[in-house]
Amino acid sequence: DVLSVGQDVEQATPLNPDLRDMICRPEEQAQINRLRAEHGAAPAYEKLIFSAKESVHKAYFPLNHHTLDFLDARIDLDWHSNTFVAHILNPEPAPRIPVARFDGRFLFHQDWIFTAIVLKAPAIDG
Protein backbone atom coordinates (compact mmCIF):
# COMPACT_ATOMS: atom_id res chain seq x y z
CA ASP A 1 0.00 0.00 0.00
CA VAL A 2 2.97 2.33 0.61
CA LEU A 3 5.72 3.05 -1.88
CA SER A 4 7.94 5.14 0.41
CA VAL A 5 8.06 6.79 3.83
CA GLY A 6 10.18 9.67 5.07
CA GLN A 7 10.14 11.04 8.58
CA ASP A 8 12.28 13.30 10.71
CA VAL A 9 12.39 14.69 14.24
CA GLU A 10 14.37 17.79 15.17
CA GLN A 11 14.69 19.95 18.24
CA ALA A 12 12.60 23.09 17.80
CA THR A 13 15.61 25.35 18.14
CA PRO A 14 16.72 28.05 15.72
CA LEU A 15 18.69 26.96 12.71
CA ASN A 16 22.25 28.26 12.64
CA PRO A 17 21.96 31.51 10.60
CA ASP A 18 25.05 30.52 8.58
CA LEU A 19 23.08 27.55 7.22
CA ARG A 20 19.92 29.42 6.22
CA ASP A 21 20.95 30.05 2.59
CA MET A 22 22.20 26.45 2.24
CA ILE A 23 18.86 25.01 3.44
CA CYS A 24 16.16 27.51 2.46
CA ARG A 25 15.46 28.66 -1.07
CA PRO A 26 14.58 32.37 -1.53
CA GLU A 27 10.88 31.47 -1.91
CA GLU A 28 11.01 29.59 1.40
CA GLN A 29 12.73 32.50 3.11
CA ALA A 30 9.97 34.82 1.88
CA GLN A 31 7.39 32.35 3.20
CA ILE A 32 9.15 32.29 6.59
CA ASN A 33 9.11 36.10 6.70
CA ARG A 34 5.34 36.08 6.04
CA LEU A 35 4.80 33.48 8.79
CA ARG A 36 6.82 35.57 11.24
CA ALA A 37 4.73 38.63 10.36
CA GLU A 38 1.48 36.68 10.90
CA HIS A 39 2.38 34.42 13.85
CA GLY A 40 5.47 35.90 15.51
CA ALA A 41 9.03 34.70 15.78
CA ALA A 42 8.59 31.88 18.31
CA PRO A 43 8.44 28.74 16.10
CA ALA A 44 11.67 27.57 14.50
CA TYR A 45 10.45 28.02 10.93
CA GLU A 46 13.84 27.40 9.28
CA LYS A 47 14.26 24.19 11.29
CA LEU A 48 10.80 23.12 10.09
CA ILE A 49 11.93 23.57 6.47
CA PHE A 50 15.11 21.61 7.29
CA SER A 51 13.11 18.78 8.85
CA ALA A 52 10.66 18.66 5.93
CA LYS A 53 13.59 18.38 3.50
CA GLU A 54 15.10 15.60 5.60
CA SER A 55 11.78 13.74 5.26
CA VAL A 56 11.86 14.39 1.51
CA HIS A 57 15.33 12.90 1.23
CA LYS A 58 14.34 9.84 3.27
CA ALA A 59 11.31 9.25 1.02
CA TYR A 60 13.08 10.03 -2.28
CA PHE A 61 16.43 8.25 -1.92
CA PRO A 62 15.09 4.67 -1.61
CA LEU A 63 13.04 5.16 -4.79
CA ASN A 64 15.82 6.47 -7.01
CA HIS A 65 19.12 6.04 -5.16
CA HIS A 66 19.79 9.73 -5.71
CA THR A 67 20.72 12.22 -3.02
CA LEU A 68 18.86 15.50 -3.25
CA ASP A 69 20.59 18.67 -2.09
CA PHE A 70 18.57 20.87 0.25
CA LEU A 71 17.99 23.37 -2.57
CA ASP A 72 16.74 20.63 -4.92
CA ALA A 73 13.31 20.72 -3.27
CA ARG A 74 10.96 23.58 -2.41
CA ILE A 75 8.70 23.33 0.62
CA ASP A 76 5.33 25.10 0.66
CA LEU A 77 3.88 25.15 4.17
CA ASP A 78 0.19 25.31 5.05
CA TRP A 79 0.47 26.51 8.62
CA HIS A 80 -3.23 26.15 9.45
CA SER A 81 -3.50 22.49 8.40
CA ASN A 82 0.00 21.45 9.55
CA THR A 83 0.79 20.17 6.06
CA PHE A 84 3.41 20.84 3.44
CA VAL A 85 3.99 20.16 -0.22
CA ALA A 86 7.52 19.38 -1.38
CA HIS A 87 8.23 20.11 -5.03
CA ILE A 88 11.25 18.24 -6.43
CA LEU A 89 13.09 20.81 -8.56
CA ASN A 90 16.22 18.87 -9.49
CA PRO A 91 15.33 15.16 -9.66
CA GLU A 92 17.45 12.21 -10.65
CA PRO A 93 17.98 12.61 -14.44
CA ALA A 94 16.78 9.06 -15.20
CA PRO A 95 14.63 8.17 -12.20
CA ARG A 96 13.51 4.63 -11.61
CA ILE A 97 10.34 6.06 -10.05
CA PRO A 98 9.62 9.64 -11.13
CA VAL A 99 8.40 11.80 -8.27
CA ALA A 100 7.74 15.50 -8.73
CA ARG A 101 5.90 16.13 -5.48
CA PHE A 102 5.45 14.81 -1.96
CA ASP A 103 2.65 15.71 0.44
CA GLY A 104 3.63 15.77 4.09
CA ARG A 105 2.54 16.71 7.57
CA PHE A 106 4.29 18.50 10.42
CA LEU A 107 3.78 18.93 14.12
CA PHE A 108 5.36 21.10 16.78
CA HIS A 109 5.13 19.34 20.15
CA GLN A 110 6.89 20.68 23.22
CA ASP A 111 10.51 21.20 22.12
CA TRP A 112 10.32 19.03 19.00
CA ILE A 113 9.40 19.27 15.33
CA PHE A 114 8.04 16.17 13.62
CA THR A 115 7.69 15.85 9.83
CA ALA A 116 6.47 12.89 7.81
CA ILE A 117 5.73 11.86 4.25
CA VAL A 118 3.88 8.73 3.15
CA LEU A 119 3.86 8.08 -0.58
CA LYS A 120 1.10 5.61 -1.38
CA ALA A 121 1.62 3.00 -4.05
CA PRO A 122 -0.52 3.53 -7.14
CA ALA A 123 -3.66 1.45 -7.31
CA ILE A 124 -3.39 -1.36 -9.83
CA ASP A 125 -6.53 -2.48 -11.58
CA GLY A 126 -6.61 -6.15 -12.23
Side-chain angles (χ1 to χ4, degrees):
D1 292 340
V2 173
L3 196 58
S4 190
V5 174
Q7 58 188 11
D8 189 62
V9 178
E10 300 288 336
Q11 287 187 311
T13 57
L15 183 69
N16 181 331
D18 294 339
L19 299 177
R20 181 177 171 144
D21 290 341
M22 293 171 52
I23 305 294
C24 300
R25 299 178 57 79
E27 312 93 282
E28 294 163 336
Q29 293 183 32
Q31 182 179 196
I32 289 167
N33 291 336
R34 284 191 303 275
L35 286 169
R36 282 203 171 101
E38 292 174 24
H39 304 287
Y45 299 111
E46 289 92 346
K47 191 67 83 71
L48 172 58
I49 297 289
F50 174 82
S51 182
K53 289 184 177 189
E54 285 289 309
S55 287
V56 167
H57 170 73
K58 292 170 183 174
Y60 189 86
F61 184 82
L63 300 174
N64 293 304
H65 303 287
H66 176 75
T67 300
L68 296 171
D69 186 20
F70 286 106
L71 301 179
D72 290 342
R74 186 188 75 235
I75 304 297
D76 294 326
L77 300 171
D78 184 332
W79 191 255
H80 300 292
S81 67
N82 289 62
T83 62
F84 64 90
V85 175
H87 303 275
I88 307 303
L89 305 175
N90 189 20
E92 159 65 27
R96 192 170 60 101
I97 300 174
V99 180
R101 166 191 171 138
F102 288 109
D103 295 305
R105 300 192 56 81
F106 67 88
L107 173 69
F108 281 86
H109 180 69
Q110 296 176 358
D111 295 332
W112 300 96
I113 300 168
F114 300 87
T115 59
I117 294 168
V118 176
L119 181 63
K120 295 188 178 195
I124 299 173
D125 294 332

